[in-house]
């Protein structure tokens, strides 16, 4: 049903809106953003695009190409050195391949962030213990080449929250208040990564999580 006020010219409608207790103040045109805000947003966008690796602005770092290995079986064909993923800084730049970088991003978004939630203002930094290293598994003589030696693995000792607190794998795995969070973080990586190891796996992993993108016919190995 068309009401009388709907037939008023524009100026009349604005006057009605100003005088009516049932009307909501409105503007015919949205407020224009200041040029400085637009330019700043464009500059940030360009910076993200420029720093993107693996064709993904959420992966910030630099492409470093082929990384040769000193041991047969080591090395990365198309390596990247990553400094932040999905807006979260890494405590040190980590060398890996793009498949592992993308898996890392998926885990951060779908596992780490939901596990931490709003605690401490959320995750500010992921603490990296190890990334690419041409070595055998657990540095044991005669063992197979580690996934670290192929650029497919990352070791994480904990996370730093925005309020400055640290959640450490070594100190928090069995501590009330952090144990449940760390176990959710560990569990959420299973399936995203091919191998997920934590403090209960063996003595070599009591102070960190090991994630890698090796694939097995039987599915992910998580312990």
């Amino acid at each position: 049903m068309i009401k009388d006020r709907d037939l008023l010219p524009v100026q009349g409608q604005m006057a009605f809106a100003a005088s009516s207790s049932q009307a909501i103040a409105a503007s015919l045109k949205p407020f224009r953003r200041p040029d400085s805000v637009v330019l700043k947003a464009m500059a940030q966008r360009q910076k993200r695009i420029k720093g993107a690796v693996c064709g993904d602005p959420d992966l910030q770092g630099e492409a470093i190409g082929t990384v040769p290995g000193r041991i047969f079986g080591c090395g990365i064909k198309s390596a990247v050195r990553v400094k932040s993923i999905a807006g979260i800084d890494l405590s040190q730049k980590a060398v890996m391949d793009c498949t592992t970088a993308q898996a890392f991003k998926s885990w951060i978004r779908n596992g780490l962030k939901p596990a931490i939630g709003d605690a401490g203002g959320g995750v500010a930094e992921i603490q990296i213990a190890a990334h690419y290293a041409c070595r055998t598994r657990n540095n044991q003589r005669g063992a197979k080449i580690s996934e670290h030696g192929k650029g497919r693995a990352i070791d994480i000792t904990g996370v730093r929250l925005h309020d400055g607190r640290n959640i450490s794998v070594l100190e928090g795995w069995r501590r009330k208040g952090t144990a449940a969070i760390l176990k959710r973080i560990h569990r959420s990586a299973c399936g995203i990564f091919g191998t997920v190891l934590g403090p209960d796996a063996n003595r070599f992993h009591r102070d960190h999580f090991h994630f890698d993108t090796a694939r097995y016919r039987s599915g992910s190995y998580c312990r």
Side-chain angles (χ1 to χ4, degrees):
M1 177 178 179
I2 299 176
K3 298 182 180 180
D4 290 342
R5 66 171 179 267
D6 296 324
L7 301 177
L8 292 172
V10 170
Q11 290 182 344
Q13 291 183 39
M14 295 295 289
F16 173 81
S19 62
S20 172
S21 61
Q22 297 178 348
I24 299 174
S27 172
L28 295 178
K29 293 183 179 180
F31 289 107
R32 180 181 176 185
R33 294 181 180 179
D35 289 342
S36 60
V37 173
V38 175
L39 290 173
K40 184 177 180 180
M42 290 177 64
Q44 290 176 338
R45 183 172 181 273
Q46 288 300 317
K47 184 178 180 181
R48 276 171 48 81
I49 292 173
K50 186 177 180 180
V53 294
C54 306
D56 187 344
D58 282 336
L59 303 174
Q60 291 288 302
E62 59 181 322
I64 56 177
T66 301
V67 176
R70 59 183 177 78
I71 303 174
F72 180 76
C74 283
I76 313 172
K77 185 176 181 180
S78 299
V80 292
R81 184 179 288 114
V82 183
K83 66 177 182 179
S84 72
I85 300 178
I88 296 180
D89 292 335
L90 307 185
S91 63
Q92 61 173 298
K93 294 178 181 179
V95 175
M96 62 191 79
D97 64 14
C98 283
T99 298
T100 304
Q102 289 289 354
F104 207 167
K105 171 187 168 180
S106 179
W107 167 72
I108 288 172
R109 284 189 164 179
N110 302 308
L112 178 62
K113 287 185 176 181
I116 296 295
D118 295 329
V123 183
E125 180 184 81
I126 298 172
Q127 295 161 343
I128 305 297
H131 45 102
Y132 173 76
C134 184
R135 61 173 176 80
T136 58
R137 292 179 182 177
N138 301 316
N139 288 302
Q140 299 300 294
R141 181 175 295 179
K144 293 182 178 179
I145 296 296
S146 168
E147 294 302 313
H148 284 282
K150 304 172 186 177
R152 300 176 188 168
I154 198 84
D155 287 351
I156 298 168
T157 57
V159 297
R160 179 173 59 81
L161 307 181
H162 278 288
D163 65 3
R165 285 183 293 162
N166 292 317
I167 299 180
S168 162
V169 175
L170 177 62
E171 298 176 357
W173 184 249
R174 292 181 173 82
R175 176 181 293 175
K176 185 178 180 181
T178 56
I181 293 174
L182 286 168
K183 286 177 171 58
R184 284 199 299 270
I185 291 172
H186 176 270
R187 187 167 56 248
S188 70
C190 192
I192 296 174
F193 291 97
T195 309
V196 176
L197 302 175
D200 292 337
N202 53 47
R203 63 187 177 88
F204 299 109
H205 297 89
R206 65 187 185 88
D207 61 351
H208 69 274
F209 295 144
H210 167 96
F211 301 154
D212 71 49
T213 52
R215 294 300 173 190
Y216 309 101
R217 292 182 179 179
S218 57
S220 295
Y221 178 83
C222 307
R223 187 172 178 183

